[in-house]
Amino acid sequence: MKTSIIRDIRAWQSFTMLNGLIPIFRRPLALVAILSTPLSFLFFVDIFSHGTQLLVGSIGGLIFTVINAATMLQSDLLFGKIDLKFQQMIATTGISPLVYVMGMATGDIVFILPGAIFFLGVIVYLTPVTVLDVALIIFAAFLTWVFFSLFSYMISRKVREMREIWPISVIFGIVFAVIPPIYYSLNSIPVPFQYFAYLVPTTFAALIIKDAVANSLGSLPIPLFVYFVETVLMVVFATRISDWRQQTI
Amino acid sequence: MVVPLLVKDLRKDYLVKGKVTSALRGLSLTASRPMILSILGRNGSGKTTFVKIATGQLIPGSGTVEIFGHDVISSPASVKGLISLVPQECRPWGHMTPREHIYHYQRILGNSREGARDRVQFISDMLRIGSFMDTEAVNLSGGQRQLIVVGMSLSAEADIYFLDEPTIGLDVITRKNVWEGIRYFRKLGKTIVLTTHYLDEASALSDEIAVVSEGRLLAQGTLQQLQNMLDYNTRIRIPAGFAKGSLEPYGKVVSESQYEILYTDEKRVEEIILSAGLLKTRIEIGPVGLDDVFISLVGGSIED
Ligand SMILES: Nc1ncnc2c1ncn2[C@@H]1O[C@H](COP(=O)(O)OP(=O)(O)OP(=O)(O)O)[C@@H](O)[C@H]1O
Ligand SMILES: [Mg+2]
């Protein structure tokens, strides 16, 4: 048929349509739901800090929102696999699992885009950032999206029932978007805990964004490098294990 | 000619919490030329497990599946584009219309926008679903939703279609529309592997029928060949309570709730009617059907 790259693009577009662009207009409530938690956090951070931590709350909100896309993806992949058996139909088309996963993940971006733009807007409004800084922030968000979308794919391979994913998604959100230092500064916790924080990839996302807005680009290369390498390793690993076939489905 | 489907000694155990279920215990079957092959078997006999392995969803324990000479198990990529599937209990996305489903499925298969639209029209005409093509699936009935999935699968230009209970929940007329579609594909030289619990469907459609039980093939052949496997070729249905004892000498008698079924030989029918005094009751006489074959084959193996 068509060369495989054109095919992949067509498939990708369709996954994005069916998981993002079509439902968003027909089921817009999800938009509100996705914004509600980070906006509430922003509200509380602002109240309790008497307005001094609005920037931190927005950085946290941005990362939280991207992680939200990845948790949505968990439900979407499982729904397609278990409830609809849609994944089984896709498997026979010859499309690679990663095109499917990332196409669906792009669909979920559609849902978080308004929130992400809002938080980015607040960050830009509050700080004198340059175009390069904004590019760095978007790049950090992009790495987060890739890393955690693939992570969600791995989780979805293991889960065999819809009910199992809800608790997993909640814990996933807490572990990657609430506990690590994205809503607060890494230096505000005791040193031993800082080492633990470095185990969580979102810590690096927050470091990159905080360095970018603080115009302290001098310390930026290290988190940027680490996060980039982590994401590349994730892509390599996901590519290696990706397979439609499983021992049980 | 390359054989569309060749399955040899397929085995699959499911391990759940330390407990092993053997779903397939050496299943072998063949579609030696393009055909409609129906797979019949009781619930849990391994049909869906087989379909999942053959369509590259599930890793078997051992055995081989070849599709047009390509080994599905060692090189799953080699059969992509050759196969299409209706999974058992598959459902469409609630927020999308039948048209969107088929269109996007075509795009995922790599078709151009125009080509995809043509295919949508083709399927819509074939399955006669034009009246609800633009209704979101949440607002459709169960059978209409099933047709979306069937339509998606049939829209693929594959060489072998695995349809796992595709007509479940469809009314008689709609089912026949699907049959027509299946027959049309058969005429195009495609192979269709169908699982169904509707024996009339299997009888009406199949070139060959495979009966499986507990993960093994019990018999495969044309309807005629399967019927010939029975000791009797004729079935007489007699209201219950009617001289059961007097029927025994003429063949095999099976009791159903309101009837006695006498399996016998066609040549003896006249004699039986006269000597068993059946002239005064309403009886039904006919050839043995697939249901008789099925019960006799599968019923036998369950008792073991
Ligand atoms: N995912 C699974 N995990 C564990 N056991 C399974 C799984 N799927 C099927 N089985 C077991 O394997 C056997 C065969 O199941 P399968 O779904 O292949 O049957 P089937 O012939 O398609 O039945 P039906 O007509 O009801 O659809 C059953 O005993 C079932 O309990
Ligand atoms: Mg089944």
Side-chain angles (χ1 to χ4, degrees):
Chain A
M1 223 183 188
K2 287 280 164 267
T3 59
S4 95
I5 194 91
I6 291 180
R7 247 204 86 160
D8 285 352
I9 291 170
R10 287 176 179 174
W12 195 308
Q13 280 175 346
S14 278
F15 294 133
T16 304
M17 284 295 292
L18 66 86
N19 198 37
L21 290 168
I22 296 177
I24 200 168
F25 292 109
R26 296 182 191 166
R27 312 278 185 272
L29 197 61
L31 268 177
V32 182
I34 282 157
L35 270 171
S36 59
T37 314
L39 277 182
S40 319
F41 281 2
L42 188 67
F43 173 74
F44 288 118
V45 167
D46 190 44
I47 296 269
F48 290 121
S49 71
H50 305 287
T52 61
Q53 298 294 315
L54 200 56
L55 179 62
V56 172
S58 302
I59 294 173
L62 178 60
I63 298 172
F64 190 98
T65 304
V66 177
I67 294 292
N68 247 340
T71 43
M72 280 179 73
L73 181 63
Q74 291 166 12
S75 303
D76 294 333
L77 290 179
L78 275 170
F79 190 57
K81 173 178 146 185
I82 297 167
D83 268 40
L84 303 186
K85 311 280 192 301
F86 177 71
Q87 181 188 304
Q88 293 193 28
M89 296 196 76
I90 300 306
T92 59
T93 64
I95 280 293
S96 97
L98 289 189
V99 171
Y100 171 58
V101 169
M102 294 318 287
M104 296 291 279
T106 313
D108 286 323
I109 286 194
V110 174
F111 281 91
I112 62 141
L113 208 54
I117 291 173
F118 169 79
F119 288 114
L120 187 62
V122 176
I123 295 168
V124 170
Y125 176 75
L126 291 176
T127 54
V129 283
T130 65
V131 174
L132 176 68
D133 296 335
V134 173
L136 280 168
I137 295 171
I138 293 173
F139 187 60
F142 173 74
L143 292 182
T144 307
W145 173 69
V146 173
F147 186 97
F148 286 96
S149 295
L150 294 174
F151 199 145
S152 293
Y153 164 58
M154 287 172 191
I155 292 173
S156 80
R157 277 174 63 84
K158 294 291 165 205
V159 177
R160 293 187 46 218
E161 213 207 334
M162 222 44 220
R163 275 172 171 277
E164 283 177 55
I165 197 60
W166 295 318
I168 291 175
S169 289
V170 171
I171 296 166
F172 183 92
I174 303 275
V175 168
F176 294 115
V178 178
I179 296 176
I182 61 170
Y183 273 105
Y184 58 90
S185 138
L186 179 62
N187 300 323
S188 63
I189 51 173
V191 174
F193 289 108
Q194 291 187 17
Y195 291 117
F196 279 116
Y198 282 122
L199 294 176
V200 186
T202 32
T203 300
F204 294 102
L207 284 176
I208 296 168
I209 297 176
K210 281 168 188 167
D211 284 342
V213 296
N215 281 314
S216 54
L217 295 187
S219 58
L220 189 107
I222 294 171
L224 195 59
F225 177 75
V226 173
Y227 202 29
F228 184 72
V229 170
E230 278 184 348
T231 307
V232 169
L233 288 179
M234 187 62 158
V235 172
V236 171
F237 184 64
T239 310
R240 285 189 65 121
I241 66 150
S242 72
D243 189 349
W244 291 118
R245 296 184 307 164
Q246 293 200 254
Q247 285 294 346
T248 49
I249 49 167
Chain B
M1 195 179 77
V2 201
V3 175
L5 177 68
L6 185 63
V7 181
K8 273 199 205 138
D9 201 24
L10 204 58
R11 287 168 197 276
K12 175 71 188 176
D13 291 339
Y14 289 107
L15 182 68
V16 182
K17 295 196 176 118
K19 201 176 145 274
V20 176
T21 309
S22 295
L24 298 179
R25 309 170 192 222
L27 179 73
S28 302
L29 49 86
T30 313
S32 52
R33 57 193 160 80
M35 64 163 73
I36 300 175
L37 172 65
S38 294
I39 303 180
L40 308 181
R42 298 194 60 188
N43 296 131
S45 57
K47 303 179 297 295
T48 298
T49 301
F50 159 67
V51 169
K52 283 178 180 169
I53 293 171
T55 55
Q57 324 279 336
L58 196 62
I59 303 168
S62 64
T64 57
V65 179
E66 279 177 28
I67 289 179
F68 296 101
H70 301 285
D71 187 336
V72 178
I73 289 140
S74 67
S75 56
S78 62
V79 295
K80 297 294 153 72
L82 296 179
I83 56 183
S84 186
L85 167 69
V86 172
Q88 183 176 9
E89 292 183 326
C90 187
R91 293 192 295 130
W93 298 88
H95 64 266
M96 293 201 324
T97 66
R99 184 184 307 283
E100 287 165 340
H101 275 93
I102 300 169
Y103 176 81
H104 286 294
Y105 196 60
Q106 279 297 307
R107 294 287 287 167
I108 292 162
L109 284 160
N111 209 340
S112 66
R113 287 198 168 85
E114 234 166 283
R117 275 193 285 267
D118 288 349
R119 215 60 198 156
V120 170
Q121 197 52 49
F122 166 74
I123 292 294
S124 166
D125 294 342
M126 185 173 84
L127 297 178
R128 301 179 203 179
I129 55 177
S131 63
F132 57 88
M133 276 304 267
D134 295 305
T135 309
E136 279 180 46
V138 267
N139 300 326
L140 293 175
S141 78
Q144 290 170 330
R145 287 182 208 172
Q146 178 66 16
L147 281 174
I148 299 181
V149 177
V150 172
M152 284 165 74
S153 174
L154 293 184
S155 79
E157 290 178 84
D159 290 312
I160 181 164
Y161 294 80
F162 289 87
L163 313 179
D164 198 353
E165 302 195 28
T167 58
I168 193 145
L170 301 184
D171 69 62
V172 185
I173 297 160
T174 309
R175 172 168 305 164
K176 295 204 165 142
N177 293 339
V178 173
W179 291 5
E180 262 177 52
I182 292 175
R183 288 198 185 105
Y184 173 79
F185 277 71
R186 165 75 185 82
K187 279 204 201 88
L188 294 180
K190 314 282 188 183
T191 295
I192 293 98
V193 178
L194 174 79
T195 80
T196 180
H197 289 297
Y198 302 113
L199 299 182
D200 60 325
E201 178 165 293
S203 307
L205 282 176
S206 316
D207 296 303
E208 288 191 19
I209 296 165
V211 182
V212 299
S213 174
E214 300 179 349
R216 287 188 210 96
L217 182 75
L218 293 180
Q220 185 185 334
T222 62
L223 181 58
Q224 189 62 53
Q225 285 169 336
L226 293 185
Q227 284 168 340
N228 291 346
M229 289 173 65
L230 296 183
D231 299 333
Y232 308 102
N233 59 18
T234 302
R235 173 172 66 177
I236 307 180
R237 203 157 77 142
I238 303 153
F242 189 90
K244 180 171 183 198
S246 64
L247 296 173
E248 300 285 357
Y250 303 109
K252 186 174 151 193
V253 185
V254 176
S255 295
E256 280 184 5
S257 57
Q258 307 202 23
Y259 298 94
E260 309 282 355
I261 314 262
L262 171 63
Y263 290 108
T264 186
D265 189 57
E266 197 185 355
K267 296 192 197 90
R268 300 189 67 184
V269 170
E270 226 178 280
E271 171 204 344
I272 294 165
I273 292 177
L274 293 175
S275 55
L278 295 179
L279 272 178
K280 293 197 196 85
T281 38
R282 276 174 67 115
I283 58 171
E284 273 173 41
I285 308 170
V288 290
L290 187 54
D291 44 348
D292 303 305
V293 175
F294 183 80
I295 291 166
S296 132
L297 279 171
V298 172
S301 80
I302 297 283
E303 283 160 21
D304 295 345

